[in-house]
Amino acid sequence: MCSLGVFPAPVTAAQTLFERNNELLSALHPGEHSQACDLPSPQFTRDTLKGHSRPESSSRSVFLDQRDTLWMRSAGAWRDAGLYGLLDEITNSAEEVPRFLAVGSACVLALLRWASSFHGSLFPHLTLSSDEMVAEFSQMLDWSDSALRSFAWHPHTDKFAVALLDDSIKIYKSNSSPTPTLKHRCQRSVCALQWKPLCGSALAVACQSCLLIWHVDPASLSTRPSSGCAQVLSHPGHSPITSIAWSPTGSLLVSASPVDTSMMVWDVAAESAVPLQRVGGGGVTYLSWSPDGSRLLAATPSALFRVWETRMWTCERWPCLKGSCQSACWSPDGGCLLLSMQGERVIYALTFSDLTGINNTYSSPVTACQLLLILKGFSSLSALLNISVGGEVCSLSWDPRGERLAVLLKGRADNHPSVIAVFKTRSSPVFELLPCGFVMGEAGAEPRFMQFHPHFQHGALLTVCWSDGRISHVPFYFSSAGLLGGDSPQQALASNTTNPSSNKLYTEQIS
Amino acid sequence: CIQAVNQTHSQRTHPRLVYFQVVIWRSVASIAWSVLLLPVTSAVFVLLSRFSLFHPIQWISECTSLLTASSTIFSLVVLCGVVLITGLFNLEFYTLVPSIPCSRMALLGTVLHPRQCVHSLVYCTMGMLVMWCASVTIGGRYSTLGIPCRQSESGEVVTCLNEYHLFLLLAGAFMGYSHSFLGVVQNMYYVSFQPIQQYKYPRFKGCLPMVVKCSVIQSLYSARNFAALYFFFGKIFINLCITLQLYSSLQPLDSLTGLLDFSLLYHLSISGTFLYFTWYLTVLLFRIYVTEAYSFPVQSTFTEDAEQCLPKVLAETNTLVMKFLALQDLALLSQHSLSRRLEVFSLSQPGGHPHNWNAISRECMSLLSELTQRLLAHQDAVASNGRVKSHPVLPLDVSETPRLSVPLRTPGSVFTSSVGGMHSALTAPFTPDVDSPFSSPAIRRLVGQQEPRSPWFGTVQSPHIMRRGPKLWSASTDSSRFTVIPLHGLETPVNSCSCHTLNCSAQVKSFLAKRVLIVYLFNKLPEASSQALFADSQAHIWALQGLSHLVAASFSEDQFGVVQTTLPSILSCLVVLLEAVDRHFKLPHASSKPVRTVCSMGDSTYKTLRFALRAALKTAIYKITTTFGEHLNAVNISTEHRKRLQQFLEFKE
């Protein structure tokens, strides 16, 4: 149990600039001026970006209704909407077809609807439309309304890709080189982006209907790479894709769709996929590969998630208590997994006993799923502004050195905005979480998405996408306590599990 | 030549044991499993074939009584025999390096090859056997070939031909042939390795829907084709049977109304699905068993086990499958197993030599440099605009440069057109290279380096010996054949001059018309040469992965610095290969993507192996550069290689 009230509240509600000397400093802080890091922080507004055109099915209303022959209509219905459309068409034009055909198709249609509604009652997410599903399971908060759709840092260089509302992707580099814009016919409703590790150019894009792999030559000066630079990977029944994850060695790509019970392991260069099917859960919504590459988290829309080990691709089921797994992040050494559940203000931790992952990974790698932290209560940020924060944990991010943990707390309606709470984490000698502070945006802007820079020299750098379409970078300057040792966090966490009373969380010191 | 044969024989004594333990044992297990699964599939088939919607009780009781009947047991025994033979054929024909025909003529040659003919014949027979079992199981009007019937005029009882039974039997033969034919066209016997490791049971479960789907689709296609064939040529078979004193009295089936019998088509497609499913299941089990990872010991304390250790098996030249398994094991251990990596980096106990690392790195680098040489030779052979140069390029360089015993043969058909100069373009498909239909594919795979035993060993390079190779009519290279064309219909009463010109133009025309077919048959398929070059690249991909991960791991795990001594040569080997690959992708058709195949049992991963190799190569270099970082500046490599590596350090590739 902890209260957000212990967090050092910012003096003013101004934009947080950076952390120094264990203090988060804001723009209006006395004696501080904005210390610009040389990373581009573009801003996109909804007005300048034209959303994608209306779906093809709705464009029908624009045109005059014209009666075709039954054959033409049936063929069109088959092409547009598949079996359902065909049956629907036949049922609707009962006066033109033989009676038994109309009755038969009506019966089949009713049967199909009943079956799908039954299926839908088991897995409610299946009743959502494709766009709604992407919005529901995207890591971007408030996806459908946001000008920014997704964001990804390159794992090795100072460049990042941003997916925008108009289905284009822009790539920004640290220096003032041209920013390529990627557009493709299949690139609709981008839900996730990820750069391929150990590669300078490949960017995987999860789209509504397929998976795109862009090969953007870093040396090229072209601002508009042709769609020939993109590989299209698709598999029937595997769309919309809501999450993708490259293996840390860059050899495999895993993609997941909430409607498909199997996740695809792609050999991207060979364009071949191996489906890994597990029926329970009704789909896969979120994937996260551990930094050492030995495990993969796969969350489902139901109250169930799985942890796959990637040597022989077997999995462990973890039925959750309530709600589906919303977000997760791995510790830098891959020994600890933090999870947040939908509708809960709780962070769970999963520790893995064997960090090396050599031999007995199949027996029982996970020692416990323990409750790490409960973020209860509300903190009133500023008496003057009369706003308070706190709520459901909807996104987690851990910096690559394992010293800062950012938690995105979902807000509610008026005067209760979303906010990012940052913790200091320490893994040795014991695992510790200490409050660092809230990261604030400009007035009226709420955070939507956050990601740590994969290799910031002077500490950690949190990149936040705001609701006003701005991307800002918040550096945390600190001297690292040394790179993480081999198994120290694991021991620390193990000691936590064995003796929870000795847990030195700051919360207990307070309560 | 004889010496070489002797040498190979003496080499083959020891590893043969491991080979026997691994491959033969695995294929036996796969056949056993297919036999064990046979009753299940047969039961499903019985249920489906007797299906009646309106009499469910009767249906179930009939099926249960049928399943215990003696005829069914006998059918099962026959089917077991079929599965056994299929399994043996799988073991005999499977290949890890697909044979890629470079022209349609070569494909035709493969299909008409005697060995393939035997294969087709056996599969036709097996198809008829399975269909016989199926028709006996279905019973009713299908059960026997002859049925007693009463002749209309005399009233005596004679044996008539049951056309339904004949129809199914012929369908079985047809499906057997089409299976055998598609096996060649789609490279059904090519066994590819999966990018991820899975246990056998989950993998089988995952593949099962695909196999069912494939067999249903293939069965529907075959049923359609066979019905069309029977519609046109059914009379011939019936006449043949009538001469065998069988009389037909039923409604003839080779008419439109006879064929549009729903029940007949249903039973045909169900039986066809059963037939294909039996075969595909055997193939699938074989693939799963053979490609399962095998863990070789890195080093052994006993000398008699030394032959089974990873460095020895890696250097294996006789059995390609063992080499592949060893390379796969190397790639896996380099990524997943700390303790085995430490064994690789260890020093030998008396003497302190890094024998393990030396053997492994030498083997990997010789594989890679062999690929480099192969690519360079191909680039030399092909002029920049895709035409064949007139001067011959000897592919001998390829095998000589790294080491003479290059274990993986060069997919030779790539070079054949350049061997004999321009005129040999026609003979290209028949040149005695290892890919030609006249060297049996079985020799190539399993027992890899058997070119020494084939009669063409050593003669590939000399054009005059090559001409003594097997020749079809097309191999006679003088074009007179094509010019002597009967010019009927051209004897018009015109003066001799115009007649002559007319003659000439007609001659040219018909010559060209003939040429269209010739060109169609002999034209090189685009991409084929590129695919053939990278046909065995799975081995190179594993070598790259294994090397790069071992080198990267050595940064923190190598206590004695054994890797540092070979680091410069590894880096330059990789960079040279990268340059060769880059240049190869600039050739026409090299970077065009192959068409995605729809559901078929044939594995088409070999078509994209070159892209996979390029990606693996870049990833391997990145893996090393990101691990070593600035330390690479201390490594002693040439300036241009350093420049290239600098590109990688800055992530500009």
Side-chain angles (χ1 to χ4, degrees):
Chain A
M1 284 288 169
C2 88
S3 166
L4 286 173
V6 238
F7 268 75
V11 182
T12 55
Q15 186 189 5
T16 308
L17 285 182
F18 54 88
E19 182 207 295
R20 197 163 57 193
N21 300 330
N22 285 332
E23 241 185 313
L24 280 173
L25 301 178
S26 67
L28 299 181
H29 209 270
E32 288 299 336
H33 50 91
S34 65
Q35 185 168 345
C37 50
D38 58 344
L39 295 167
S41 53
Q43 181 169 16
F44 306 95
T45 55
R46 279 186 62 89
D47 307 333
T48 56
L49 301 168
K50 207 168 62 179
H52 63 83
S53 58
R54 310 175 68 182
E56 280 164 30
S57 56
S58 70
S59 65
R60 182 177 298 174
S61 57
V62 180
F63 297 100
L64 285 177
D65 192 29
Q66 191 189 353
R67 298 299 286 178
D68 281 327
T69 61
L70 180 67
W71 283 111
M72 293 294 288
R73 274 182 286 141
S74 301
W78 171 261
R79 198 188 55 232
D80 288 345
L83 185 62
Y84 270 101
L86 182 66
L87 291 173
D88 212 29
E89 187 64 47
I90 292 175
T91 317
N92 286 339
S93 51
E95 69 276 9
E96 291 175 63
V97 295
R99 185 168 162 70
F100 75 92
L101 199 61
V103 172
S105 67
C107 288
V108 173
L109 195 63
L111 201 68
L112 279 178
R113 288 212 169 118
W114 178 79
S116 77
S117 72
F118 176 69
H119 195 200
S121 69
L122 283 179
F123 301 113
H125 69 277
L126 292 178
T127 55
L128 299 175
S129 78
S130 185
D131 261 340
E132 287 168 346
M133 205 179 287
V134 171
E136 170 76 22
F137 296 114
S138 170
Q139 286 294 298
M140 179 72 70
L141 251 179
D142 203 4
W143 177 87
S144 50
D145 198 34
S146 171
L148 304 169
R149 286 287 166 87
S150 189
F151 174 91
W153 271 110
H154 190 275
H156 307 287
T157 54
D158 279 344
K159 67 177 170 186
F160 59 83
V162 194
L164 302 174
L165 181 67
D166 59 349
D167 292 329
S168 66
I169 294 174
K170 282 184 185 295
I171 295 173
Y172 287 89
K173 292 171 199 160
S174 60
N175 43 18
S176 58
S177 49
T179 60
T181 307
L182 312 178
K183 284 188 182 175
H184 194 278
R185 191 170 44 84
C186 300
Q187 193 169 289
R188 291 278 173 102
S189 306
V190 176
C191 187
L193 294 174
Q194 201 177 7
W195 290 90
K196 180 180 175 179
L198 297 179
C199 181
S201 59
L203 172 71
V205 183
C207 309
Q208 195 173 39
S209 60
C210 61
L211 194 59
L212 283 177
I213 313 290
W214 282 97
H215 296 274
V216 189
D217 186 4
S220 162
L221 292 174
S222 156
T223 54
R224 190 66 203 276
S226 79
S227 57
C229 301
Q231 261 179 294
V232 182
L233 306 176
S234 64
H235 196 271
H238 193 69
S239 65
I241 297 172
T242 56
S243 187
I244 45 177
W246 284 98
S247 73
T249 53
S251 53
L252 298 171
L253 175 69
V254 186
S255 69
S257 166
V259 294
D260 195 1
T261 49
S262 52
M263 57 183 200
M264 295 286 155
V265 183
W266 293 92
D267 184 351
V268 169
E271 298 192 0
S272 63
V274 181
L276 289 174
Q277 189 164 35
R278 290 292 185 277
V279 178
V284 184
T285 55
Y286 178 73
L287 296 167
S288 174
W289 211 305
S290 74
D292 62 344
S294 64
R295 285 188 188 82
L296 176 74
L297 169 90
T300 68
S302 311
L304 170 75
F305 66 92
R306 296 191 178 83
V307 180
W308 293 80
E309 58 84 23
T310 60
R311 191 178 141 86
M312 293 306 282
W313 289 93
T314 52
C315 66
E316 288 214 337
R317 279 165 56 94
W318 283 88
C320 316
L321 295 175
K322 68 169 194 182
S324 60
C325 175
Q326 176 90 13
S327 176
C329 65
W330 290 87
S331 68
D333 57 354
C336 176
L337 173 65
L338 301 187
L339 298 148
S340 70
M341 300 295 157
Q342 196 170 29
E344 285 190 88
R345 300 175 178 184
V346 169
I347 300 173
Y348 292 97
L350 215 60
T351 50
F352 295 91
S353 55
D354 53 339
L355 285 172
T356 45
I358 308 167
N359 289 322
N360 44 6
T361 40
Y362 323 120
S363 53
S364 176
V366 182
T367 50
C369 180
Q370 61 159 341
L371 204 134
L372 187 70
L373 184 65
I374 305 176
L375 296 159
K376 265 284 162 67
F378 302 102
S379 158
S380 109
L381 269 189
S382 157
L384 290 174
L385 288 169
N386 189 24
I387 53 174
S388 58
V389 296
E392 181 185 330
V393 177
C394 63
S395 185
L396 293 165
S397 186
W398 209 337
D399 94 284
R401 294 180 196 224
E403 304 220 9
R404 292 290 181 276
L405 174 71
V407 180
L408 179 50
L409 302 172
K410 198 174 182 176
R412 276 181 301 188
D414 47 319
N415 285 339
H416 205 267
S418 308
V419 76
I420 295 176
V422 181
F423 293 89
K424 294 173 193 166
T425 56
R426 191 173 297 162
S427 50
S428 61
V430 286
F431 188 76
E432 281 185 316
L433 274 177
L434 300 166
C436 183
F438 292 112
V439 172
M440 305 293 295
E442 287 181 348
E446 293 184 31
R448 294 277 184 247
F449 184 85
M450 57 183 188
Q451 191 174 38
F452 274 103
H453 190 291
H455 54 93
F456 187 63
Q457 297 294 324
H458 316 289
L461 179 95
L462 184 68
T463 303
V464 186
C465 300
W466 300 95
S467 60
D468 59 354
R470 176 179 292 278
I471 295 171
S472 71
H473 309 281
V474 184
F476 296 82
Y477 296 106
F478 55 83
S479 60
S480 175
L483 289 172
L484 278 173
D487 48 1
S488 46
Q490 171 228 353
Q491 282 169 357
L493 284 170
S495 69
N496 275 352
T497 49
T498 48
N499 188 7
S501 61
S502 72
N503 212 334
K504 287 296 176 194
L505 286 183
Y506 74 99
T507 54
E508 281 158 37
Q509 296 166 347
I510 291 157
S511 56
Chain B
C1 188
I2 293 166
Q3 272 180 347
V5 172
N6 284 341
Q7 214 175 357
T8 41
H9 271 290
S10 61
Q11 277 177 2
R12 284 174 57 181
T13 47
H14 266 291
R16 203 74 199 165
L17 189 68
V18 195
Y19 170 73
F20 185 81
Q21 280 171 354
V22 179
V23 179
I24 303 289
W25 183 242
R26 285 177 172 193
S27 56
V28 166
S30 78
I31 294 173
W33 270 110
S34 0
V35 169
L36 282 178
L37 285 173
L38 198 58
V40 182
T41 52
S42 308
V44 172
F45 171 67
V46 165
L47 282 176
L48 285 177
S49 66
R50 294 270 173 132
F51 180 71
S52 65
L53 186 64
F54 302 107
H55 307 287
I57 310 282
Q58 192 193 352
W59 168 48
I60 299 287
S61 62
E62 249 184 32
C63 288
T64 42
S65 65
L66 186 64
L67 282 175
T68 49
S70 62
S71 67
T72 316
I73 306 291
F74 181 68
S75 298
L76 265 184
V77 172
V78 173
L79 288 174
C80 283
V82 169
V83 167
L84 280 179
I85 295 173
T86 317
L88 290 180
F89 266 84
N90 284 340
L91 180 60
E92 179 60 26
F93 273 79
Y94 86 97
T95 169
L96 296 171
V97 180
S99 68
I100 296 162
C102 278
S103 67
R104 290 180 181 85
M105 200 61 212
L107 188 62
L108 202 63
T110 324
V111 172
L112 297 177
H113 185 257
R115 193 180 134 89
Q116 183 58 32
C117 289
V118 169
H119 183 268
S120 305
L121 207 64
V122 172
Y123 266 85
C124 281
T125 320
M126 289 201 298
M128 286 177 90
L129 273 177
V130 175
M131 275 303 190
W132 178 80
C133 294
S135 56
V136 167
T137 314
I138 298 170
R141 56 179 184 178
Y142 300 100
S143 52
T144 52
L145 185 61
I147 48 169
C149 62
R150 198 172 289 276
Q151 264 190 334
S152 52
E153 60 268 25
S154 62
E156 57 180 316
V157 177
V158 290
T159 313
C160 291
L161 171 72
N162 182 5
E163 216 180 322
Y164 291 108
H165 190 86
L166 179 73
F167 184 76
L168 282 190
L169 284 191
L170 289 178
F174 177 78
M175 286 173 178
Y177 183 74
S178 63
H179 178 79
S180 163
F181 176 75
L182 286 179
V184 174
V185 175
Q186 299 177 346
N187 264 317
M188 185 93 68
Y189 286 109
Y190 166 57
V191 176
S192 72
F193 288 78
Q194 280 209 316
I196 59 171
Q197 300 298 310
Q198 276 178 285
Y199 288 111
K200 290 193 284 289
Y201 175 63
R203 198 177 153 198
F204 175 74
K205 216 170 57 176
C207 290
L208 203 56
M210 192 268 292
V211 171
V212 173
K213 196 175 143 197
C214 281
S215 46
V216 168
I217 288 174
Q218 192 57 47
S219 151
L220 289 178
Y221 271 119
S222 295
R224 184 197 67 185
N225 295 345
F226 177 69
L229 203 68
Y230 195 79
F231 180 71
F232 290 115
F233 301 107
K235 267 286 180 288
I236 300 171
F237 292 105
I238 295 168
N239 289 338
L240 195 73
C241 292
I242 284 175
T243 55
L244 298 172
Q245 304 300 313
L246 288 164
Y247 298 97
S248 174
S249 68
L250 293 161
Q251 185 201 7
L253 266 181
D254 59 339
S255 62
L256 212 54
T257 47
L259 278 176
L260 283 178
D261 178 357
F262 176 74
S263 151
L264 178 72
L265 290 183
Y266 174 71
H267 281 129
L268 175 63
S269 44
I270 283 287
S271 320
T273 308
F274 176 62
L275 172 73
Y276 279 119
F277 185 72
T278 321
W279 285 340
Y280 287 168
L281 200 65
T282 320
V283 172
L284 174 74
L285 282 168
F286 183 79
R287 283 185 190 165
I288 290 177
Y289 266 89
V290 165
T291 57
E292 195 195 1
Y294 184 85
S295 180
F296 296 91
V298 176
Q299 59 184 359
S300 161
T301 40
F302 305 107
T303 45
E304 54 263 32
D305 294 340
E307 290 293 333
Q308 303 179 15
C309 290
L310 190 61
K312 283 278 189 236
V313 187
L314 270 183
E316 179 76 43
T317 55
N318 298 321
T319 51
L320 197 53
V321 60
M322 294 311 287
K323 189 178 182 74
F324 269 61
L325 285 175
L327 281 166
Q328 186 190 28
D329 187 40
L330 176 70
L332 288 177
L333 86 87
S334 70
Q335 290 175 48
H336 296 292
S337 175
L338 171 69
S339 56
R340 295 178 70 201
R341 277 199 301 266
L342 290 180
E343 277 186 71
V344 172
F345 298 138
S346 67
L347 300 180
S348 66
Q349 200 37 267
H353 297 288
H355 287 309
N356 294 331
W357 167 251
N358 282 346
I360 287 172
S361 64
R362 188 178 58 231
E363 196 52 46
C364 289
M365 284 196 316
S366 80
L367 261 181
L368 297 178
S369 57
E370 176 256 349
L371 180 65
T372 313
Q373 298 299 328
R374 192 197 294 174
L375 289 178
L376 290 179
H378 179 69
Q379 283 151 19
D380 286 349
V382 177
S384 58
N385 55 0
R387 277 188 296 114
V388 173
K389 274 186 189 172
S390 53
H391 67 86
V393 174
L394 302 186
L396 186 62
D397 316 346
V398 176
S399 47
E400 266 182 355
T401 9
R403 273 168 38 179
L404 199 63
S405 64
V406 177
L408 298 178
R409 75 199 167 75
T410 308
S413 54
V414 180
F415 300 110
T416 50
S417 57
S418 65
V419 168
M422 277 306 270
H423 73 275
S424 76
L426 290 184
T427 61
F430 299 105
T431 44
D433 66 276
V434 278
D435 259 0
S436 86
F438 297 98
S439 74
S440 88
I443 293 184
R444 271 187 280 122
R445 54 152 180 99
L446 270 186
V447 218
Q449 188 80 345
Q450 282 137 11
E451 283 91 328
R453 284 203 280 143
S454 82
W456 311 114
F457 180 70
T459 64
V460 188
Q461 297 81 28
S462 57
H464 60 96
I465 297 182
M466 189 191 69
R467 283 198 209 103
R468 279 198 264 123
K471 282 182 186 177
L472 292 190
W473 57 270
S474 59
S476 58
T477 46
D478 54 339
S479 57
S480 64
R481 230 201 112 76
F482 309 121
T483 55
V484 186
I485 288 152
L487 300 166
H488 35 256
L490 284 170
E491 286 78 26
T492 40
V494 283
N495 62 44
S496 63
C497 180
S498 69
C499 180
H500 182 69
T501 46
L502 203 64
N503 229 342
C504 279
S505 66
Q507 235 174 351
V508 168
K509 235 182 236 172
S510 55
F511 176 68
L512 282 180
K514 284 269 179 186
R515 289 282 294 178
V516 170
L517 181 68
I518 303 299
V519 163
Y520 176 78
L521 282 178
F522 286 96
N523 222 358
K524 290 211 148 212
L525 297 172
E527 280 188 58
S529 59
S530 203
Q531 283 175 14
L533 266 180
F534 290 93
D536 56 353
S537 281
Q538 185 63 61
H540 303 113
I541 292 171
W542 280 325
L544 284 170
Q545 286 178 350
L547 262 191
S548 63
H549 281 103
L550 279 176
V551 169
S554 77
F555 189 70
S556 55
E557 293 168 10
D558 180 13
Q559 299 168 355
F560 309 108
V562 294
V563 176
Q564 279 180 26
T565 54
T566 41
L567 193 54
S569 55
I570 289 175
L571 281 173
S572 58
C573 176
L574 292 182
V575 173
V576 168
L577 179 59
L578 181 68
E579 280 165 0
V581 169
D582 278 350
R583 228 175 298 152
H584 179 82
F585 274 92
K586 294 207 174 89
L587 294 179
H589 298 300
S591 53
S592 58
K593 298 267 177 189
V595 193
R596 298 283 289 275
T597 50
V598 281
C599 184
S600 84
M601 199 56 194
D603 208 327
S604 60
T605 36
Y606 64 88
K607 290 182 181 167
T608 46
L609 268 179
R610 57 185 187 279
F611 302 106
L613 179 96
R614 182 172 61 170
L617 178 58
K618 286 196 173 176
T619 308
I621 300 179
Y622 269 122
K623 180 87 192 164
I624 296 175
T625 52
T626 46
T627 312
F628 281 82
E630 293 302 314
H631 299 285
L632 280 183
N633 293 330
V635 179
N636 184 21
I637 43 174
S638 69
T639 331
E640 55 264 41
H641 290 176
R642 193 183 299 282
K643 259 183 207 156
R644 196 75 203 259
L645 286 180
Q646 192 60 36
Q647 295 279 314
F648 277 90
L649 277 173
E650 291 165 6
F651 283 89
K652 293 245 171 95
E653 279 288 326

